[in-house]
Amino acid sequence: MSLRNGGHVRWAFDLAGWRPSLADLLLATSCIQPEEKNTLQRFVFRDDFNASLIGRLMMRRFVQLATDLAYDEIKFERDSKGKPFLKNEGVAVDFNVSHQGRYAVLAGMATSVTSNVTCASTTKPTPKIGVDVMKIEYGGGKPLDEFFRLMTRNFSDDEWRYIRGRPDNNAQLEAFMRNWCLKESYVKNVGVGITVDLRKISFRIQTEVLARDRVVCDTTLRVNSEPMSNWRFEESLIDRDHCVAVSLENVPTDQDLCGNCFELIDFKALVEGHRPLLAIDENYCEGIISKEYKKSK
């Protein structure tokens, strides 16, 4: 695990393949902040607990790698919209996490590489990042056409032409999930949530096929019909059933993003170099283990 060119990381964790032992939980829950531990306890479903726990560990491990901060000195807070951010001063990083299907993902970058620089009368804005992962499946019970009709208000006319222009239901579903993933990565980056008019956020896909070993970077964005030239997007597959999108604002156009495929990481890699923040809590972890693995979404 290391930073790539430009200070980037792209990580994916296989939640479906992780059934932590009591020892794993004792370790993991000692490596998060007290308020995070309290929040995690409120989850009804074990899968949601695991996904959120891994997301917190990914954030801490990324910051540890990207900065000189000691593991137990890293402090996260949430903004007014609930988005986590690094509280420590004098450190320039940005990151975002997401989970859906069998994966939790993190996209991060050390923004000090291209941080605010004042030259004469101009200031370069700090880069920002957002990420979303989607499982490419539909289990809504309604015909796909009816599902699309109910979702009409979430896509622009151009996006619907692209989605409905695919040759069959499978291809249309893939196009739908890909566009939805792009939108989520964008709104998570700007911190507005999906309460905005999503029809005014319109993507134009140019490379039709995604792959696991190649990143597509030529998708463009218009907001309120205006081209967003300061935004770049990465798209790829984690596996054939999961697509992932990364949104990048204010990242230089000459920075090569094509190699930013998602790296599969495991629990051992996440807790490498850890320093506990909290005491071991056997009662807490035994209570978590008693939760059943039920399908939560």
Side-chain angles (χ1 to χ4, degrees):
M1 298 173 70
S2 60
L3 300 187
R4 299 172 181 171
N5 291 338
H8 290 265
V9 300
R10 304 287 183 270
W11 292 339
F13 186 96
D14 184 0
L15 296 165
W18 187 56
R19 289 295 183 264
S21 64
L22 176 58
D24 290 336
L25 283 178
L26 290 171
L27 171 58
T29 56
S30 72
C31 292
I32 57 177
Q33 295 168 193
E35 67 275 14
E36 294 174 326
K37 182 179 172 182
N38 292 336
T39 299
L40 288 172
Q41 194 174 25
R42 301 187 190 121
F43 285 114
V44 174
F45 297 106
R46 180 68 184 278
D47 286 340
D48 292 333
F49 174 92
N50 285 356
S52 294
L53 175 60
I54 289 299
R56 286 159 169 80
L57 293 177
M58 285 199 294
M59 292 189 305
R60 189 164 293 273
R61 181 68 172 127
F62 162 64
V63 173
Q64 181 192 28
L65 285 175
T67 71
D68 292 327
L69 292 171
Y71 191 92
D72 54 351
E73 292 178 354
I74 296 167
K75 175 65 176 177
F76 296 112
E77 290 193 2
R78 292 181 179 267
D79 62 20
S80 59
K81 298 180 177 65
K83 183 178 179 180
F85 68 94
L86 184 64
K87 178 66 174 176
N88 303 73
E89 295 182 358
V91 181
V93 296
D94 197 30
F95 54 86
N96 198 219
V97 295
S98 178
H99 68 87
Q100 212 262 339
R102 70 180 296 146
Y103 293 103
V105 297
L106 176 141
M109 59 182 173
T111 58
S112 57
V113 175
T114 51
S115 58
N116 284 359
V117 178
T118 302
C119 300
S121 60
T122 62
T123 300
K124 293 183 180 180
T126 301
K128 294 173 58 182
I129 198 166
V131 68
D132 192 62
V133 59
M134 291 294 300
K135 186 174 183 181
I136 305 170
E137 69 170 1
Y138 172 62
K142 301 177 184 294
L144 193 60
D145 280 346
E146 175 64 9
F147 172 64
F148 284 172
R149 186 189 68 79
L150 295 172
M151 296 294 288
T152 297
R153 294 176 60 86
N154 294 311
F155 294 93
S156 69
D157 291 342
D158 285 343
E159 289 170 327
W160 277 120
R161 276 190 287 271
Y162 177 81
I163 293 168
R164 293 185 177 278
R166 301 305 93 199
D168 54 44
N169 279 358
N170 287 337
Q172 288 182 20
L173 180 62
E174 289 175 4
F176 176 93
M177 292 302 181
R178 184 175 172 184
N179 274 275
W180 187 256
C181 198
L182 284 162
K183 282 183 191 282
E184 286 273 16
S185 75
Y186 171 77
V187 299
K188 287 180 67 181
N189 193 325
V190 298
V192 297
I194 57 174
T195 57
V196 297
D197 188 347
L198 295 179
R199 291 171 298 181
K200 296 180 179 179
I201 302 168
S202 184
F203 288 91
R204 177 167 294 179
I205 291 171
Q206 300 184 61
T207 300
E208 292 189 3
V209 179
L210 297 180
R212 282 172 275 192
D213 58 353
R214 184 184 70 252
V215 177
V216 169
C217 299
D218 57 2
T219 295
T220 58
L221 170 67
R222 288 178 176 265
V223 177
N224 295 321
S225 300
E226 295 294 326
M228 296 288 102
S229 58
N230 60 327
W231 284 83
R232 301 176 67 187
F233 296 88
E234 302 170 4
E235 296 179 87
S236 60
L237 297 177
I238 299 176
D239 61 24
R240 66 180 184 178
D241 298 321
H242 293 80
C243 61
V244 62
V246 177
S247 64
L248 297 143
E249 184 183 15
N250 303 321
V251 170
T253 56
D254 61 352
Q255 189 173 124
D256 185 9
L257 306 175
C258 294
N260 281 346
C261 296
F262 275 73
E263 173 189 2
L264 281 172
I265 59 172
D266 59 19
F267 180 69
K268 182 179 178 180
L270 278 185
V271 296
E272 183 180 347
H274 74 279
R275 293 184 186 175
L277 284 73
L278 301 172
I280 294 295
D281 190 339
E282 291 190 8
N283 290 335
Y284 178 93
C285 292
E286 287 171 354
I288 296 303
I289 284 179
S290 68
K291 294 178 182 288
E292 295 182 24
Y293 282 100
K294 296 180 181 178
K295 190 173 182 180
S296 55
K297 291 185 176 72

